[in-house]
Amino acid sequence: MVPAWRSDMHPELRLFFTRWLGTVALTLVPVVFTAFVSLPLALNRHPGEPLTAAAQHMT
């Protein structure tokens, strides 16, 4: 049975929203992946690890 809050939504509108959410999700995946991969490479350590004595500032 279809829930009452979705029974009056037009099928084309539902299709638009599902495609829009899929596009947003597929756009954010590479951005998040790049951020989580590049940050440890830029810091030369993982963000949760303590600083070492030889650590230098990024600038």
mmCIF file of all heavy atoms in Angstrom, residues 1-47:
data_model
loop_
_atom_site.group_PDB
_atom_site.id
_atom_site.type_symbol
_atom_site.label_atom_id
_atom_site.label_comp_id
_atom_site.label_asym_id
_atom_site.label_seq_id
_atom_site.Cartn_x
_atom_site.Cartn_y
_atom_site.Cartn_z
ATOM 1 N N MET A 1 0.839 -1.185 0.000
ATOM 2 C CA MET A 1 0.000 0.000 0.000
ATOM 3 C C MET A 1 0.882 1.245 0.000
ATOM 4 O O MET A 1 1.885 1.305 0.700
ATOM 5 C CB MET A 1 -0.911 -0.015 1.220
ATOM 6 C CG MET A 1 -1.842 1.149 1.265
ATOM 7 S SD MET A 1 -3.030 0.884 2.567
ATOM 8 C CE MET A 1 -4.024 2.280 2.291
ATOM 9 N N VAL A 2 0.502 2.241 -0.759
ATOM 10 C CA VAL A 2 1.258 3.488 -0.874
ATOM 11 C C VAL A 2 0.944 4.368 0.331
ATOM 12 O O VAL A 2 -0.215 4.535 0.693
ATOM 13 C CB VAL A 2 0.885 4.222 -2.176
ATOM 14 C CG1 VAL A 2 1.624 5.535 -2.282
ATOM 15 C CG2 VAL A 2 1.171 3.339 -3.373
ATOM 16 N N PRO A 3 1.983 4.929 0.989
ATOM 17 C CA PRO A 3 1.716 5.833 2.114
ATOM 18 C C PRO A 3 0.896 7.042 1.665
ATOM 19 O O PRO A 3 0.981 7.490 0.522
ATOM 20 C CB PRO A 3 3.099 6.272 2.575
ATOM 21 C CG PRO A 3 4.041 5.275 2.005
ATOM 22 C CD PRO A 3 3.397 4.718 0.781
ATOM 23 N N ALA A 4 0.106 7.599 2.587
ATOM 24 C CA ALA A 4 -0.797 8.699 2.248
ATOM 25 C C ALA A 4 -0.035 9.950 1.824
ATOM 26 O O ALA A 4 -0.499 10.715 0.990
ATOM 27 C CB ALA A 4 -1.691 9.006 3.439
ATOM 28 N N TRP A 5 1.157 10.176 2.371
ATOM 29 C CA TRP A 5 1.887 11.394 2.046
ATOM 30 C C TRP A 5 2.502 11.370 0.655
ATOM 31 O O TRP A 5 2.917 12.397 0.145
ATOM 32 C CB TRP A 5 2.959 11.674 3.099
ATOM 33 C CG TRP A 5 3.962 10.572 3.253
ATOM 34 C CD1 TRP A 5 3.869 9.482 4.050
ATOM 35 C CD2 TRP A 5 5.217 10.457 2.577
ATOM 36 N NE1 TRP A 5 4.976 8.694 3.913
ATOM 37 C CE2 TRP A 5 5.828 9.269 3.029
ATOM 38 C CE3 TRP A 5 5.889 11.260 1.655
ATOM 39 C CZ2 TRP A 5 7.065 8.865 2.572
ATOM 40 C CZ3 TRP A 5 7.132 10.839 1.200
ATOM 41 C CH2 TRP A 5 7.699 9.657 1.662
ATOM 42 N N ARG A 6 2.534 10.220 0.001
ATOM 43 C CA ARG A 6 3.095 10.139 -1.350
ATOM 44 C C ARG A 6 2.038 9.806 -2.402
ATOM 45 O O ARG A 6 2.337 9.769 -3.575
ATOM 46 C CB ARG A 6 4.188 9.081 -1.396
ATOM 47 C CG ARG A 6 5.394 9.458 -0.543
ATOM 48 C CD ARG A 6 6.490 8.487 -0.722
ATOM 49 N NE ARG A 6 7.206 8.810 -1.954
ATOM 50 C CZ ARG A 6 8.156 8.059 -2.463
ATOM 51 N NH1 ARG A 6 8.515 6.951 -1.882
ATOM 52 N NH2 ARG A 6 8.770 8.408 -3.570
ATOM 53 N N SER A 7 0.827 9.557 -1.991
ATOM 54 C CA SER A 7 -0.181 9.101 -2.943
ATOM 55 C C SER A 7 -0.606 10.200 -3.908
ATOM 56 O O SER A 7 -1.070 9.914 -4.999
ATOM 57 C CB SER A 7 -1.402 8.562 -2.201
ATOM 58 O OG SER A 7 -1.990 9.597 -1.442
ATOM 59 N N ASP A 8 -0.476 11.472 -3.520
ATOM 60 C CA ASP A 8 -0.937 12.538 -4.384
ATOM 61 C C ASP A 8 0.195 13.174 -5.207
ATOM 62 O O ASP A 8 -0.042 14.123 -5.938
ATOM 63 C CB ASP A 8 -1.649 13.615 -3.565
ATOM 64 C CG ASP A 8 -0.769 14.192 -2.480
ATOM 65 O OD1 ASP A 8 0.271 13.601 -2.181
ATOM 66 O OD2 ASP A 8 -1.141 15.243 -1.920
ATOM 67 N N MET A 9 1.422 12.658 -5.112
ATOM 68 C CA MET A 9 2.520 13.210 -5.895
ATOM 69 C C MET A 9 2.431 12.703 -7.340
ATOM 70 O O MET A 9 2.210 11.520 -7.577
ATOM 71 C CB MET A 9 3.869 12.820 -5.296
ATOM 72 C CG MET A 9 5.053 13.442 -6.022
ATOM 73 S SD MET A 9 6.656 12.962 -5.382
ATOM 74 C CE MET A 9 6.713 13.925 -3.901
ATOM 75 N N HIS A 10 2.617 13.617 -8.251
ATOM 76 C CA HIS A 10 2.562 13.268 -9.666
ATOM 77 C C HIS A 10 3.750 12.362 -10.002
ATOM 78 O O HIS A 10 4.872 12.590 -9.528
ATOM 79 C CB HIS A 10 2.607 14.557 -10.497
ATOM 80 C CG HIS A 10 2.234 14.352 -11.920
ATOM 81 N ND1 HIS A 10 3.132 13.923 -12.861
ATOM 82 C CD2 HIS A 10 1.056 14.496 -12.559
ATOM 83 C CE1 HIS A 10 2.538 13.830 -14.032
ATOM 84 N NE2 HIS A 10 1.261 14.176 -13.873
ATOM 85 N N PRO A 11 3.542 11.337 -10.825
ATOM 86 C CA PRO A 11 4.647 10.422 -11.155
ATOM 87 C C PRO A 11 5.840 11.111 -11.813
ATOM 88 O O PRO A 11 6.979 10.737 -11.574
ATOM 89 C CB PRO A 11 4.012 9.409 -12.111
ATOM 90 C CG PRO A 11 2.554 9.503 -11.881
ATOM 91 C CD PRO A 11 2.276 10.879 -11.398
ATOM 92 N N GLU A 12 5.590 12.111 -12.648
ATOM 93 C CA GLU A 12 6.694 12.833 -13.281
ATOM 94 C C GLU A 12 7.497 13.630 -12.262
ATOM 95 O O GLU A 12 8.718 13.738 -12.367
ATOM 96 C CB GLU A 12 6.166 13.767 -14.365
ATOM 97 C CG GLU A 12 5.587 13.052 -15.555
ATOM 98 C CD GLU A 12 6.643 12.295 -16.343
ATOM 99 O OE1 GLU A 12 7.786 12.776 -16.436
ATOM 100 O OE2 GLU A 12 6.326 11.210 -16.852
ATOM 101 N N LEU A 13 6.815 14.188 -11.263
ATOM 102 C CA LEU A 13 7.508 14.931 -10.222
ATOM 103 C C LEU A 13 8.358 13.992 -9.365
ATOM 104 O O LEU A 13 9.494 14.316 -9.010
ATOM 105 C CB LEU A 13 6.500 15.680 -9.349
ATOM 106 C CG LEU A 13 7.069 16.581 -8.262
ATOM 107 C CD1 LEU A 13 7.935 17.671 -8.876
ATOM 108 C CD2 LEU A 13 5.948 17.174 -7.436
ATOM 109 N N ARG A 14 7.829 12.822 -9.073
ATOM 110 C CA ARG A 14 8.594 11.825 -8.314
ATOM 111 C C ARG A 14 9.820 11.384 -9.107
ATOM 112 O O ARG A 14 10.916 11.253 -8.554
ATOM 113 C CB ARG A 14 7.715 10.624 -7.981
ATOM 114 C CG ARG A 14 8.454 9.602 -7.132
ATOM 115 C CD ARG A 14 7.600 8.410 -6.790
ATOM 116 N NE ARG A 14 6.410 8.838 -6.083
ATOM 117 C CZ ARG A 14 5.216 8.251 -6.209
ATOM 118 N NH1 ARG A 14 5.069 7.213 -7.003
ATOM 119 N NH2 ARG A 14 4.187 8.695 -5.530
ATOM 120 N N LEU A 15 9.664 11.190 -10.413
ATOM 121 C CA LEU A 15 10.793 10.810 -11.262
ATOM 122 C C LEU A 15 11.836 11.924 -11.296
ATOM 123 O O LEU A 15 13.045 11.660 -11.232
ATOM 124 C CB LEU A 15 10.309 10.495 -12.678
ATOM 125 C CG LEU A 15 11.370 10.092 -13.688
ATOM 126 C CD1 LEU A 15 12.027 8.784 -13.268
ATOM 127 C CD2 LEU A 15 10.753 9.963 -15.060
ATOM 128 N N PHE A 16 11.375 13.180 -11.375
ATOM 129 C CA PHE A 16 12.306 14.309 -11.361
ATOM 130 C C PHE A 16 13.102 14.344 -10.059
ATOM 131 O O PHE A 16 14.318 14.518 -10.072
ATOM 132 C CB PHE A 16 11.535 15.619 -11.544
ATOM 133 C CG PHE A 16 12.388 16.837 -11.321
ATOM 134 C CD1 PHE A 16 13.295 17.248 -12.282
ATOM 135 C CD2 PHE A 16 12.291 17.561 -10.142
ATOM 136 C CE1 PHE A 16 14.087 18.361 -12.073
ATOM 137 C CE2 PHE A 16 13.074 18.671 -9.922
ATOM 138 C CZ PHE A 16 13.978 19.087 -10.887
ATOM 139 N N PHE A 17 12.418 14.194 -8.924
ATOM 140 C CA PHE A 17 13.105 14.240 -7.632
ATOM 141 C C PHE A 17 14.099 13.094 -7.471
ATOM 142 O O PHE A 17 15.201 13.295 -6.963
ATOM 143 C CB PHE A 17 12.110 14.219 -6.478
ATOM 144 C CG PHE A 17 11.503 15.561 -6.193
ATOM 145 C CD1 PHE A 17 10.147 15.685 -5.986
ATOM 146 C CD2 PHE A 17 12.288 16.701 -6.136
ATOM 147 C CE1 PHE A 17 9.575 16.921 -5.726
ATOM 148 C CE2 PHE A 17 11.733 17.940 -5.879
ATOM 149 C CZ PHE A 17 10.370 18.052 -5.672
ATOM 150 N N THR A 18 13.741 11.911 -7.908
ATOM 151 C CA THR A 18 14.674 10.791 -7.768
ATOM 152 C C THR A 18 15.898 10.984 -8.662
ATOM 153 O O THR A 18 17.019 10.699 -8.246
ATOM 154 C CB THR A 18 13.992 9.457 -8.096
ATOM 155 O OG1 THR A 18 13.413 9.520 -9.392
ATOM 156 C CG2 THR A 18 12.933 9.125 -7.063
ATOM 157 N N ARG A 19 15.699 11.488 -9.866
ATOM 158 C CA ARG A 19 16.847 11.749 -10.747
ATOM 159 C C ARG A 19 17.695 12.895 -10.221
ATOM 160 O O ARG A 19 18.916 12.868 -10.315
ATOM 161 C CB ARG A 19 16.382 12.043 -12.164
ATOM 162 C CG ARG A 19 15.890 10.815 -12.868
ATOM 163 C CD ARG A 19 15.618 11.088 -14.310
ATOM 164 N NE ARG A 19 15.212 9.859 -14.983
ATOM 165 C CZ ARG A 19 14.861 9.811 -16.234
ATOM 166 N NH1 ARG A 19 14.861 10.899 -16.974
ATOM 167 N NH2 ARG A 19 14.505 8.672 -16.773
ATOM 168 N N TRP A 20 17.057 13.925 -9.671
ATOM 169 C CA TRP A 20 17.781 15.060 -9.115
ATOM 170 C C TRP A 20 18.619 14.629 -7.914
ATOM 171 O O TRP A 20 19.789 14.993 -7.812
ATOM 172 C CB TRP A 20 16.803 16.161 -8.721
ATOM 173 C CG TRP A 20 17.477 17.410 -8.281
ATOM 174 C CD1 TRP A 20 17.986 18.384 -9.079
ATOM 175 C CD2 TRP A 20 17.757 17.810 -6.940
ATOM 176 N NE1 TRP A 20 18.551 19.379 -8.298
ATOM 177 C CE2 TRP A 20 18.417 19.043 -6.990
ATOM 178 C CE3 TRP A 20 17.486 17.248 -5.696
ATOM 179 C CZ2 TRP A 20 18.819 19.716 -5.845
ATOM 180 C CZ3 TRP A 20 17.884 17.916 -4.554
ATOM 181 C CH2 TRP A 20 18.545 19.127 -4.639
ATOM 182 N N LEU A 21 18.028 13.850 -7.018
ATOM 183 C CA LEU A 21 18.782 13.363 -5.854
ATOM 184 C C LEU A 21 19.921 12.443 -6.284
ATOM 185 O O LEU A 21 21.007 12.474 -5.695
ATOM 186 C CB LEU A 21 17.847 12.645 -4.877
ATOM 187 C CG LEU A 21 16.912 13.549 -4.090
ATOM 188 C CD1 LEU A 21 15.940 12.710 -3.267
ATOM 189 C CD2 LEU A 21 17.688 14.497 -3.203
ATOM 190 N N GLY A 22 19.703 11.629 -7.289
ATOM 191 C CA GLY A 22 20.769 10.778 -7.801
ATOM 192 C C GLY A 22 21.905 11.585 -8.399
ATOM 193 O O GLY A 22 23.083 11.274 -8.195
ATOM 194 N N THR A 23 21.567 12.647 -9.106
ATOM 195 C CA THR A 23 22.593 13.515 -9.692
ATOM 196 C C THR A 23 23.391 14.215 -8.610
ATOM 197 O O THR A 23 24.624 14.302 -8.679
ATOM 198 C CB THR A 23 21.943 14.553 -10.623
ATOM 199 O OG1 THR A 23 21.204 13.861 -11.631
ATOM 200 C CG2 THR A 23 22.979 15.450 -11.254
ATOM 201 N N VAL A 24 22.706 14.712 -7.589
ATOM 202 C CA VAL A 24 23.396 15.379 -6.479
ATOM 203 C C VAL A 24 24.306 14.394 -5.757
ATOM 204 O O VAL A 24 25.463 14.714 -5.448
ATOM 205 C CB VAL A 24 22.374 16.012 -5.513
ATOM 206 C CG1 VAL A 24 23.033 16.472 -4.231
ATOM 207 C CG2 VAL A 24 21.671 17.170 -6.194
ATOM 208 N N ALA A 25 23.827 13.202 -5.503
ATOM 209 C CA ALA A 25 24.639 12.199 -4.805
ATOM 210 C C ALA A 25 25.863 11.816 -5.637
ATOM 211 O O ALA A 25 26.975 11.722 -5.106
ATOM 212 C CB ALA A 25 23.795 10.964 -4.497
ATOM 213 N N LEU A 26 25.685 11.601 -6.930
ATOM 214 C CA LEU A 26 26.810 11.225 -7.780
ATOM 215 C C LEU A 26 27.793 12.374 -7.971
ATOM 216 O O LEU A 26 28.963 12.141 -8.282
ATOM 217 C CB LEU A 26 26.315 10.726 -9.137
ATOM 218 C CG LEU A 26 25.670 9.344 -9.103
ATOM 219 C CD1 LEU A 26 25.101 8.995 -10.469
ATOM 220 C CD2 LEU A 26 26.669 8.299 -8.663
ATOM 221 N N THR A 27 27.340 13.601 -7.789
ATOM 222 C CA THR A 27 28.246 14.742 -7.877
ATOM 223 C C THR A 27 29.058 14.883 -6.594
ATOM 224 O O THR A 27 30.239 15.235 -6.628
ATOM 225 C CB THR A 27 27.442 16.029 -8.139
ATOM 226 O OG1 THR A 27 26.685 15.849 -9.335
ATOM 227 C CG2 THR A 27 28.347 17.223 -8.285
ATOM 228 N N LEU A 28 28.437 14.599 -5.463
ATOM 229 C CA LEU A 28 29.123 14.768 -4.184
ATOM 230 C C LEU A 28 30.115 13.642 -3.886
ATOM 231 O O LEU A 28 31.074 13.858 -3.146
ATOM 232 C CB LEU A 28 28.102 14.861 -3.047
ATOM 233 C CG LEU A 28 27.333 16.164 -2.987
ATOM 234 C CD1 LEU A 28 26.316 16.114 -1.855
ATOM 235 C CD2 LEU A 28 28.253 17.349 -2.809
ATOM 236 N N VAL A 29 29.916 12.468 -4.450
ATOM 237 C CA VAL A 29 30.816 11.339 -4.166
ATOM 238 C C VAL A 29 32.260 11.656 -4.562
ATOM 239 O O VAL A 29 33.165 11.486 -3.740
ATOM 240 C CB VAL A 29 30.295 10.052 -4.844
ATOM 241 C CG1 VAL A 29 31.359 8.976 -4.873
ATOM 242 C CG2 VAL A 29 29.062 9.550 -4.120
ATOM 243 N N PRO A 30 32.554 12.143 -5.760
ATOM 244 C CA PRO A 30 33.958 12.451 -6.076
ATOM 245 C C PRO A 30 34.518 13.600 -5.247
ATOM 246 O O PRO A 30 35.706 13.601 -4.914
ATOM 247 C CB PRO A 30 33.949 12.827 -7.553
ATOM 248 C CG PRO A 30 32.624 12.506 -8.080
ATOM 249 C CD PRO A 30 31.703 12.295 -6.950
ATOM 250 N N VAL A 31 33.682 14.565 -4.885
ATOM 251 C CA VAL A 31 34.149 15.688 -4.072
ATOM 252 C C VAL A 31 34.556 15.205 -2.691
ATOM 253 O O VAL A 31 35.640 15.542 -2.187
ATOM 254 C CB VAL A 31 33.056 16.777 -3.980
ATOM 255 C CG1 VAL A 31 33.444 17.855 -2.990
ATOM 256 C CG2 VAL A 31 32.778 17.364 -5.346
ATOM 257 N N VAL A 32 33.723 14.396 -2.068
ATOM 258 C CA VAL A 32 34.029 13.877 -0.733
ATOM 259 C C VAL A 32 35.233 12.948 -0.794
ATOM 260 O O VAL A 32 36.116 12.998 0.065
ATOM 261 C CB VAL A 32 32.791 13.161 -0.150
ATOM 262 C CG1 VAL A 32 33.121 12.422 1.132
ATOM 263 C CG2 VAL A 32 31.680 14.168 0.089
ATOM 264 N N PHE A 33 35.296 12.098 -1.805
ATOM 265 C CA PHE A 33 36.436 11.195 -1.947
ATOM 266 C C PHE A 33 37.740 11.975 -2.105
ATOM 267 O O PHE A 33 38.744 11.664 -1.464
ATOM 268 C CB PHE A 33 36.225 10.270 -3.152
ATOM 269 C CG PHE A 33 37.392 9.371 -3.410
ATOM 270 C CD1 PHE A 33 37.622 8.266 -2.610
ATOM 271 C CD2 PHE A 33 38.266 9.629 -4.452
ATOM 272 C CE1 PHE A 33 38.701 7.434 -2.838
ATOM 273 C CE2 PHE A 33 39.353 8.807 -4.689
ATOM 274 C CZ PHE A 33 39.565 7.709 -3.884
ATOM 275 N N THR A 34 37.720 13.003 -2.943
ATOM 276 C CA THR A 34 38.924 13.812 -3.152
ATOM 277 C C THR A 34 39.344 14.508 -1.872
ATOM 278 O O THR A 34 40.527 14.583 -1.549
ATOM 279 C CB THR A 34 38.682 14.845 -4.263
ATOM 280 O OG1 THR A 34 38.296 14.143 -5.449
ATOM 281 C CG2 THR A 34 39.914 15.669 -4.535
ATOM 282 N N ALA A 35 38.391 15.018 -1.111
ATOM 283 C CA ALA A 35 38.720 15.700 0.137
ATOM 284 C C ALA A 35 39.341 14.734 1.138
ATOM 285 O O ALA A 35 40.333 15.064 1.798
ATOM 286 C CB ALA A 35 37.468 16.336 0.721
ATOM 287 N N PHE A 36 38.785 13.547 1.277
ATOM 288 C CA PHE A 36 39.305 12.605 2.256
ATOM 289 C C PHE A 36 40.625 11.982 1.821
ATOM 290 O O PHE A 36 41.379 11.496 2.661
ATOM 291 C CB PHE A 36 38.274 11.511 2.548
ATOM 292 C CG PHE A 36 37.248 11.936 3.555
ATOM 293 C CD1 PHE A 36 36.003 12.371 3.151
ATOM 294 C CD2 PHE A 36 37.544 11.931 4.902
ATOM 295 C CE1 PHE A 36 35.068 12.772 4.061
ATOM 296 C CE2 PHE A 36 36.609 12.340 5.832
ATOM 297 C CZ PHE A 36 35.361 12.761 5.415
ATOM 298 N N VAL A 37 40.925 11.991 0.532
ATOM 299 C CA VAL A 37 42.207 11.455 0.070
ATOM 300 C C VAL A 37 43.280 12.539 0.081
ATOM 301 O O VAL A 37 44.412 12.303 0.488
ATOM 302 C CB VAL A 37 42.055 10.838 -1.336
ATOM 303 C CG1 VAL A 37 43.399 10.527 -1.948
ATOM 304 C CG2 VAL A 37 41.207 9.587 -1.258
ATOM 305 N N SER A 38 42.938 13.748 -0.344
ATOM 306 C CA SER A 38 43.948 14.790 -0.475
ATOM 307 C C SER A 38 44.349 15.420 0.851
ATOM 308 O O SER A 38 45.474 15.895 0.988
ATOM 309 C CB SER A 38 43.471 15.869 -1.437
ATOM 310 O OG SER A 38 42.344 16.530 -0.907
ATOM 311 N N LEU A 39 43.458 15.457 1.830
ATOM 312 C CA LEU A 39 43.810 16.076 3.111
ATOM 313 C C LEU A 39 44.945 15.330 3.816
ATOM 314 O O LEU A 39 45.919 15.971 4.232
ATOM 315 C CB LEU A 39 42.580 16.180 4.011
ATOM 316 C CG LEU A 39 42.775 16.940 5.309
ATOM 317 C CD1 LEU A 39 43.145 18.382 5.019
ATOM 318 C CD2 LEU A 39 41.525 16.892 6.139
ATOM 319 N N PRO A 40 44.904 14.008 3.958
ATOM 320 C CA PRO A 40 46.057 13.332 4.563
ATOM 321 C C PRO A 40 47.332 13.476 3.745
ATOM 322 O O PRO A 40 48.428 13.551 4.311
ATOM 323 C CB PRO A 40 45.624 11.866 4.637
ATOM 324 C CG PRO A 40 44.152 11.904 4.640
ATOM 325 C CD PRO A 40 43.780 13.082 3.800
ATOM 326 N N LEU A 41 47.223 13.541 2.426
ATOM 327 C CA LEU A 41 48.422 13.727 1.609
ATOM 328 C C LEU A 41 49.012 15.117 1.812
ATOM 329 O O LEU A 41 50.232 15.282 1.846
ATOM 330 C CB LEU A 41 48.092 13.503 0.134
ATOM 331 C CG LEU A 41 47.780 12.067 -0.263
ATOM 332 C CD1 LEU A 41 47.351 12.008 -1.723
ATOM 333 C CD2 LEU A 41 48.980 11.181 -0.029
ATOM 334 N N ALA A 42 48.169 16.130 1.958
ATOM 335 C CA ALA A 42 48.661 17.491 2.159
ATOM 336 C C ALA A 42 49.266 17.660 3.549
ATOM 337 O O ALA A 42 50.230 18.404 3.732
ATOM 338 C CB ALA A 42 47.525 18.489 1.960
ATOM 339 N N LEU A 43 48.711 16.968 4.541
ATOM 340 C CA LEU A 43 49.222 17.082 5.908
ATOM 341 C C LEU A 43 50.387 16.141 6.185
ATOM 342 O O LEU A 43 51.052 16.263 7.213
ATOM 343 C CB LEU A 43 48.104 16.784 6.912
ATOM 344 C CG LEU A 43 46.928 17.759 6.951
ATOM 345 C CD1 LEU A 43 45.864 17.237 7.898
ATOM 346 C CD2 LEU A 43 47.391 19.132 7.374
ATOM 347 N N ASN A 44 50.611 15.175 5.307
ATOM 348 C CA ASN A 44 51.598 14.106 5.500
ATOM 349 C C ASN A 44 51.298 13.261 6.730
ATOM 350 O O ASN A 44 52.204 12.706 7.343
ATOM 351 C CB ASN A 44 53.018 14.668 5.581
ATOM 352 C CG ASN A 44 53.485 15.189 4.251
ATOM 353 O OD1 ASN A 44 53.093 14.680 3.206
ATOM 354 N ND2 ASN A 44 54.305 16.221 4.283
ATOM 355 N N ARG A 45 50.051 13.203 7.111
ATOM 356 C CA ARG A 45 49.581 12.363 8.222
ATOM 357 C C ARG A 45 48.063 12.362 8.169
ATOM 358 O O ARG A 45 47.451 13.150 7.474
ATOM 359 C CB ARG A 45 50.044 12.914 9.571
ATOM 360 C CG ARG A 45 49.463 14.282 9.878
ATOM 361 C CD ARG A 45 49.920 14.814 11.222
ATOM 362 N NE ARG A 45 49.418 16.147 11.443
ATOM 363 C CZ ARG A 45 48.225 16.415 11.974
ATOM 364 N NH1 ARG A 45 47.432 15.450 12.336
ATOM 365 N NH2 ARG A 45 47.836 17.659 12.136
ATOM 366 N N HIS A 46 47.442 11.472 8.924
ATOM 367 C CA HIS A 46 45.989 11.486 9.042
ATOM 368 C C HIS A 46 45.590 12.556 10.039
ATOM 369 O O HIS A 46 46.326 12.827 10.992
ATOM 370 C CB HIS A 46 45.470 10.117 9.480
ATOM 371 C CG HIS A 46 45.578 9.089 8.402
ATOM 372 N ND1 HIS A 46 44.722 9.059 7.329
ATOM 373 C CD2 HIS A 46 46.433 8.056 8.221
ATOM 374 C CE1 HIS A 46 45.043 8.061 6.539
ATOM 375 N NE2 HIS A 46 46.088 7.434 7.050
ATOM 376 N N PRO A 47 44.447 13.195 9.862
ATOM 377 C CA PRO A 47 44.062 14.290 10.754
ATOM 378 C C PRO A 47 43.969 13.890 12.226
ATOM 379 O O PRO A 47 44.177 14.716 13.097
ATOM 380 C CB PRO A 47 42.694 14.718 10.221
ATOM 381 C CG PRO A 47 42.722 14.338 8.782
ATOM 382 C CD PRO A 47 43.535 13.087 8.723
#
